[in-house]
């Protein structure tokens, strides 16, 4: 306010040094610049134009403590002839955020007020400067101990929150909690050390209590396995002692990613990027990073495994940046190229198709590179990748059903072993397990003419819709075998539907009879009566049966995404290589300008599309296959996470 008043007095308002000169009255003050136009209109309307309004801008803006922003203001002076409207004009000034200040009555008073305000402003400025310096010195001295104070406050807060959970009975404190069995001896040892350190004369008693409460789940992980366990925990926490899918995810997740992303070149780039993140682990771990980059850095070991499997499957596909590389010697021999060899469509000289085109010595590893230059390359890769996707999917689903057997046996649940696992395994094996088997049989059969080979799509369609009908036999007695398998598969549906509810009800009735017998004999059964609702169990089993039977079809079809994404990735790589880079070769007469531009475009789309978007797409599809197609066969995921009291974790968030 002192500065504003000084700004008014520093301006010579001319004849207005006397507020009543010429019969005019003066109101002077300071107004925010953005409200000047509104202020002028209101003043003219209030006085009906009978005023003189002078304004002058203030160059240096004012800093507002309330809004924490700088504000531009102007000095205004209003001259009017009717003293009775002075109060009205002052109210208009207040409504527009203006501050009215008194003006001097004569030149001597004006000079005196200016001098007084300058001294006052200088004194305030020095005081504020000294206060700021003092504050800076104090805060600078405390800056070194602030992290210690924050750590101490966080520690005390965490400790007192735990103390609030304890039960105090006189001088005795009772603490109940969960502890991993492997850490129980360490807990007892730490308590003994605390007794010695505190000089306690009373020892601490540690007892293991029997409880019916739901036990939390704890898996000990490290920097590598923690990422894969996090993928599983995002779906749901495992039940206590339930089979942990995280163990299998370490291999199956990057393997499925590799099937969809199989390319040697892209896999090498992804591996190098992940290796760089691992190399920078000590420098970046625990440091504040960008949110998205922090997520990528946290999954560095997952990226490393994904890169390894992308290279591995890329070698199987014989694919690198969209073109084939003959790493291993081909099993086909070709005639010489023109002009010494034949022109047009060229057939291999060995094998020559008599009796078949199957090489005597196949390629050592993966797909033969000779297929990359054939006219039916796309049809061949399409057929191989589609069948591989189906086989991989059926094997993984069968593995999930087998893991459910391990759960049932561990929990001694033999009803679910015989009336859930057995019918599920038989149904899956007799239908889609059989489909995987005939795929392998067809692969292992040598056909003199590929047109004589049966269509597996037609075979499986007739398997369900026309039992006993086989257009082209793959083996002798195929029609009878398929009919028997179909009858066995569908006979498992009523077993799966009714077996568990019937024997659960029977088991509950026997349990009730036993309790009644004990009660008549005078024995008190302290156990609470278990909740049993037959209708609830029956409805749950109906839903499970429908979900499993239809899920076998939908889940198998879902694994075809392995084929679709792999084919799309290979075709995109081929298109980018041929149309972004190879088309520029030879366009510039050897100067290299077009080649450089083409290479820049190719590397840009490779990094942006194939390494960015495609890798993320393959990651998400692999995640879906694990959550939906694999884990739903055995994993409940309704457990409770074990959250121990960890001061190190508390301090890491400070």
């Amino acid at each position: 306010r002192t500065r504003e008043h000084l700004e008014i007095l520093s301006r010579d308002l001319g004849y207005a040094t006397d507020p009543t000169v010429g019969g005019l009255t003066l109101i002077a003050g300071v107004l925010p610049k953005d409200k000047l136009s509104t202020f002028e209109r209101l003043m003219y309307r209030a006085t009906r134009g009978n005023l003189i309004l002078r304004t002058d801008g203030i160059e240096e803006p004012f800093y507002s403590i309330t809004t924490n922003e700088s504000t531009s203001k102007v000095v205004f002076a209003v001259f009017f002839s009717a003293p009775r409207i002075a109060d009205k004009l002052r109210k208009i000034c207040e409504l527009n955020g203006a501050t009215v200040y008194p003006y001097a009555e004569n030149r001597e008073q004006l000079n005196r007020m200016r001098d007084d305000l300058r001294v006052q402003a200088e004194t305030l400025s020095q005081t504020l400067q000294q206060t700021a310096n003092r504050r800076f010195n104090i805060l600078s001295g405390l800056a070194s101990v602030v992290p210690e104070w924050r750590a101490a406050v966080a520690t005390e807060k965490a400790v007192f929150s735990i103390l609030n959970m304890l039960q105090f009975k006189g001088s005795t404190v009772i603490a109940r909690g969960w502890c991993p069995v492997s850490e129980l001896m360490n807990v007892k040892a730490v308590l003994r050390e605390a007794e010695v350190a505190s000089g306690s004369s009373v020892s601490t008693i540690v007892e293991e209590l029997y409880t019916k409460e739901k036990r939390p789940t704890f898996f000990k992980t490290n920097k590598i396995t923690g990422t894969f366990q996090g993928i599983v925990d995002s779906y749901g926490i495992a039940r206590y002692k339930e089979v942990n899918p995280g163990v299998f995810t370490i291999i199956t997740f990057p393997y499925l990613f590799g099937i969809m992303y199989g390319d040697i070149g892209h896999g090498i780039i992804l591996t190098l990027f992940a290796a760089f993140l691992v190399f920078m682990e000590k420098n970046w771990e625990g440091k504040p990073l960008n949110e998205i980059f922090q997520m990528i850095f946290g999954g560095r070991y997952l990226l490393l495994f994904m890169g390894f499997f992308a290279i591995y499957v890329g070698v199987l596909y014989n694919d690198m940046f969209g073109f084939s590389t003959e790493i291993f010697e081909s099993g086909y021999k070709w005639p010489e190229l023109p002009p010494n060899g034949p022109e047009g469509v060229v057939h291999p000289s060995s094998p020559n198709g008599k009796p078949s085109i199957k090489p005597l010595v196949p390629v050592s590893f993966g797909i033969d590179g000779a297929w990359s230059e054939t006219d039916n390359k796309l049809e061949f890769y399409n057929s191989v990748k589609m069948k591989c996707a189906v086989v991989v999917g059926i094997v993984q689903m069968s593995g999930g059903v087998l893991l459910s057997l391990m759960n049932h046996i561990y929990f001694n649940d033999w009803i679910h072993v015989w009336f859930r696992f057995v019918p599920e395994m038989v149904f899956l094996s007799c239908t889609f397990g059989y489909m995987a088997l005939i795929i392998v049989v067809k692969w292992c059969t040598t056909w003199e003419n590929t047109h004589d080979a049966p269509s597996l799509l037609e075979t499986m369609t007739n398997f369900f819709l026309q039992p006993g009908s086989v257009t082209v036999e793959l083996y002798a007695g195929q029609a009878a075998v398929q009919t028997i398998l179909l009858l066995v598969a569908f006979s498992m549906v009523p077993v799966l539907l009714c077996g568990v509810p019937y024997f659960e009800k029977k088991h509950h009735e026997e349990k009730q009879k036993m309790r009644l017998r004990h009660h008549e004999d005078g024995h008190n059964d302290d156990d609470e009566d278990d909740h049993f609702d037959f209708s609830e169990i029956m409805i749950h089993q109906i839903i499970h049966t429908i979900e499993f039977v239809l899920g076998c079809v939908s889940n198998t079809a879902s694994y075809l995404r392995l084929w679709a994404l792999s084919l799309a990735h290979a075709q995109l790589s081929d298109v980018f290589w041929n149309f972004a880079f190879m088309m520029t070769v030879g366009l510039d007469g050897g100067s290299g300008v077009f080649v450089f531009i083409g290479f820049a475009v190719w590397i840009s789309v490779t990094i942006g599309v194939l390494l960015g978007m495609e890798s993320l797409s393959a990651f998400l599809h692999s995640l879906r296959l694990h959550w939906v197609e694999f884990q739903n066969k055995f994993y409940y995921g309704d457990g409770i996470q074990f959250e121990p009291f960890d001061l190190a974790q508390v301090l890491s968030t400070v």
Side-chain angles (χ1 to χ4, degrees), residues 583-653:
M583 286 185 65
T584 61
V585 177
L587 292 180
D588 52 1
S591 65
V593 176
F594 285 92
V595 174
F596 176 78
I597 296 174
F599 178 79
V601 172
W602 173 77
I603 198 67
S604 299
V605 295
T606 297
I607 295 175
V609 178
L610 297 178
L611 291 175
M613 298 173 59
E614 277 284 310
S615 61
L616 179 61
S617 174
F619 172 85
L620 294 176
H621 282 286
S622 182
L623 187 67
R624 182 248 155 74
L625 289 175
H626 278 78
W627 281 359
V628 179
E629 277 69 34
F630 175 56
Q631 292 180 184
N632 72 342
K633 299 293 185 295
F634 67 96
Y635 188 61
Y636 290 98
D638 57 355
I640 302 173
Q641 179 74 45
F642 176 65
E643 298 178 350
F645 176 67
D646 189 358
L647 275 178
Q649 184 178 2
V650 173
L651 295 177
S652 65
T653 59

Side-chain angles (χ1 to χ4, degrees), residues 13-28 78-83 90 102-107 109:
L13 300 180
Y15 57 86
T17 53
D18 186 353
T20 59
V21 171
L24 295 178
T25 304
L26 168 64
I27 295 179
V78 180
F79 303 93
F80 55 95
S81 59
R90 286 189 175 90
Y103 199 76
E105 296 180 357
N106 50 56
R107 179 64 62 178
Q109 185 182 5

Side-chain angles (χ1 to χ4, degrees), residues 165-187:
M165 302 179 185
L166 307 182
Q167 297 179 3
F168 293 88
K169 294 183 179 179
S171 59
T172 305
V173 180
I174 301 175
R176 297 186 181 185
W178 300 102
C179 172
V181 177
S182 59
E183 300 293 333
L184 185 59
M185 298 305 298
N186 293 335
V187 172

Side-chain angles (χ1 to χ4, degrees), residues 297-312:
F297 178 72
R300 56 194 177 278
Y301 290 102
L302 174 63
L303 290 175
L304 189 65
F305 278 65
M306 288 160 56
F308 286 154
F309 277 90
I311 296 173
Y312 167 72

Side-chain angles (χ1 to χ4, degrees), residues 497 500-502 504-505 508 531-544:
L497 179 63
V500 173
Y502 171 76
E504 287 280 1
K505 185 175 184 298
H508 177 72
H531 172 73
F532 181 83
D533 188 349
F534 179 75
S535 61
E536 181 180 342
I537 295 176
M538 193 67 199
I539 292 173
H540 180 271
Q541 194 63 26
I542 291 174
I543 295 173
H544 175 78

Side-chain angles (χ1 to χ4, degrees), residues 426-448:
V426 171
F427 182 87
L428 182 60
S429 301
C430 291
T431 53
F432 297 97
Y434 172 73
M435 181 172 67
L437 179 62
I438 61 176
I439 288 175
V440 177
V441 171
K442 184 179 178 181
W443 277 342
C444 297
T445 303
T446 301
W447 306 94
E448 293 187 5

Side-chain angles (χ1 to χ4, degrees), residues 246-535:
V247 179
F248 309 96
T249 304
I250 297 175
I251 299 299
T252 57
F253 189 92
Y255 176 63
L256 294 184
F257 174 85
I259 293 177
M260 293 180 280
Y261 197 74
D263 187 283
I264 301 174
H266 300 151
I268 290 175
I269 296 176
L270 187 61
T271 303
L272 292 176
F273 175 69
F276 172 73
L277 295 180
V278 174
F279 179 76
M280 299 299 294
E281 180 179 306
K282 294 183 179 179
N283 297 329
W284 290 346
E285 194 169 19
K287 301 286 183 64
L289 302 173
N290 179 270
E291 184 178 357
I292 297 178
F293 186 76
Q294 176 66 44
M295 181 174 57
I296 298 174
F297 178 72
R300 56 194 177 278
Y301 290 102
L302 174 63
L303 290 175
L304 189 65
F305 278 65
M306 288 160 56
F308 286 154
F309 277 90
I311 296 173
Y312 167 72
V313 180
V315 175
L316 281 176
Y317 291 162
N318 196 18
D319 202 2
M320 182 173 182
F321 292 124
F323 57 89
S324 179
T325 57
E326 193 170 335
I327 302 175
F328 303 97
E329 184 179 358
S330 174
Y332 293 90
K333 304 298 181 184
W334 299 88
E336 296 183 9
L337 296 175
N340 298 328
E343 297 181 355
V345 178
V346 180
H347 297 276
S349 56
S350 176
N352 56 7
K354 299 177 181 179
S356 70
I357 59 171
K358 180 179 180 180
L360 297 177
V361 181
V363 66
S364 302
F365 189 82
I367 298 177
D368 199 312
W371 286 99
S372 62
E373 301 297 331
T374 58
D375 292 337
N376 59 341
K377 167 191 172 181
L378 187 59
E379 290 81 358
F380 174 76
Y381 277 88
N382 189 27
S383 174
V384 171
K385 291 182 178 181
M386 182 189 297
K387 292 180 174 64
C388 286
V390 171
V391 172
V392 169
I394 293 172
V395 169
Q396 189 174 32
M397 289 192 298
S398 300
V401 178
L402 286 173
L403 291 177
S404 69
L405 173 64
M406 298 176 63
N407 280 332
H408 300 328
I409 293 177
Y410 181 84
F411 292 112
N412 200 26
D413 191 355
W414 295 101
I415 294 178
H416 283 76
V417 170
W418 295 110
F419 298 100
R420 176 168 290 186
F421 163 75
V422 171
E424 286 181 353
M425 197 66 192
V426 171
F427 182 87
L428 182 60
S429 301
C430 291
T431 53
F432 297 97
Y434 172 73
M435 181 172 67
L437 179 62
I438 61 176
I439 288 175
V440 177
V441 171
K442 184 179 178 181
W443 277 342
C444 297
T445 303
T446 301
W447 306 94
E448 293 187 5
N449 191 334
T450 55
H451 297 288
D452 296 335
S455 170
L456 296 184
L457 180 61
E458 183 182 3
T459 300
M460 291 307 300
T461 302
N462 293 335
F463 177 83
F464 289 102
L465 301 182
Q466 296 180 0
S469 174
V470 178
T471 306
V472 179
E473 283 195 349
L474 185 62
Y475 57 89
Q478 181 179 355
V481 171
Q482 291 185 174
T483 303
I484 294 173
L485 289 177
L486 186 63
L487 292 175
V488 172
F490 279 102
S491 66
M492 293 295 105
V493 175
V495 176
L496 180 61
L497 179 63
C498 303
V500 173
Y502 171 76
F503 283 96
E504 287 280 1
K505 185 175 184 298
K506 185 177 180 181
H507 176 71
H508 177 72
E509 291 174 350
E510 292 176 355
K511 195 173 182 179
Q512 291 293 102
K513 291 179 181 179
M514 187 177 297
R515 285 180 178 175
L516 182 60
R517 193 180 302 115
H518 285 180
H519 181 70
E520 292 175 353
D521 294 341
H523 298 288
N524 292 327
D525 195 351
D526 296 333
D527 296 337
E528 296 181 1
D529 191 12
D530 297 332
H531 172 73
F532 181 83
D533 188 349
F534 179 75
S535 61

